[in-house]
């Protein structure tokens, strides 16, 4: 089987889609990291670290695309936005966790569990904690 040869183009001429072969690795990295940040937002590493990396790579990829040096500007922006959402989600989870750990109810529960000798006493502590949180 033989393939037809492409005619040579004169020097200095441009072909349609000449820049299509160039990729934008920063855009792809931003999108992948942004998706991971949103999926793993409940972890500090997943939400904060991957989200910040997605934001940085997305900004770099978008600037390259805006300057005409790379394609996929929209992908860069989308990855950066997903990264920011992952960071926001992680910050919210961390704030909720910190407020629970600093609450009076949790301190009472912790004190109760430390002084409990049997499993039934620990279960009673958990029941008391659930009642305090619900009220």
């Amino acid at each position: 089987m033989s393939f037809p040869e492409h005619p040579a183009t004169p020097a200095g001429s441009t072909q349609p889609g000449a820049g299509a072969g160039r990729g934008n690795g920063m855009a792809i990295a931003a999108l992948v990291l942004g998706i991971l940040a949103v999926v793993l937002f409940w972890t500090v590493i997943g939400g904060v670290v991957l989200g910040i990396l997605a934001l940085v790579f997305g900004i770099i990829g978008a600037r390259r695309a805006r300057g005409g040096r790379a394609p996929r500007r929209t992908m860069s922006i989308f990855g950066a936005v997903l990264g920011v959402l992952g960071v926001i989600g992680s910050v919210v989870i961390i704030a909720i966790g910190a407020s629970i750990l600093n609450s009076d109810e949790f301190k009472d529960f912790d004190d109760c569990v430390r002084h409990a000798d049997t499993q039934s006493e620990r279960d009673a502590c958990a029941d008391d904690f659930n009642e305090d949180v619900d009220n």
Side-chain angles (χ1 to χ4, degrees):
M1 173 183 244
S2 72
F3 296 101
E5 293 186 26
H6 296 293
T9 56
S13 70
T14 59
Q15 295 177 347
R22 294 181 299 164
N24 191 347
M26 292 292 179
I28 295 168
L31 184 61
V32 169
L33 291 171
I35 290 170
L36 288 173
V38 168
V39 170
L40 300 173
F41 77 93
W42 50 274
T43 66
V44 173
I45 298 296
V48 176
V49 174
L50 295 178
I52 290 172
L53 287 173
L55 177 63
V56 169
F57 289 158
I59 290 170
I60 293 170
R63 294 184 101 193
R64 285 184 180 174
R66 187 179 66 198
R69 295 183 309 253
R72 300 188 181 103
R73 182 171 186 236
T74 304
M75 185 185 293
S76 298
I77 294 169
F78 194 61
V81 168
L82 287 175
V84 168
L85 291 175
V87 170
I88 290 171
S90 286
V91 168
V92 168
I93 293 294
I94 290 169
I96 290 172
S99 69
I100 289 173
L101 291 176
N102 288 329
S103 68
D104 290 334
E105 291 87 1
F106 185 79
K107 289 176 183 175
D108 293 342
F109 170 73
D110 188 44
D111 187 47
C112 180
V113 170
R114 286 184 192 193
H115 292 93
D117 294 327
T118 65
Q119 184 62 39
S120 62
E121 289 176 348
R122 288 185 199 102
D123 291 340
C125 293
D127 291 339
D128 290 342
F129 176 72
N130 288 334
E131 284 181 23
D132 288 343
V133 170
D134 289 339
N135 292 330

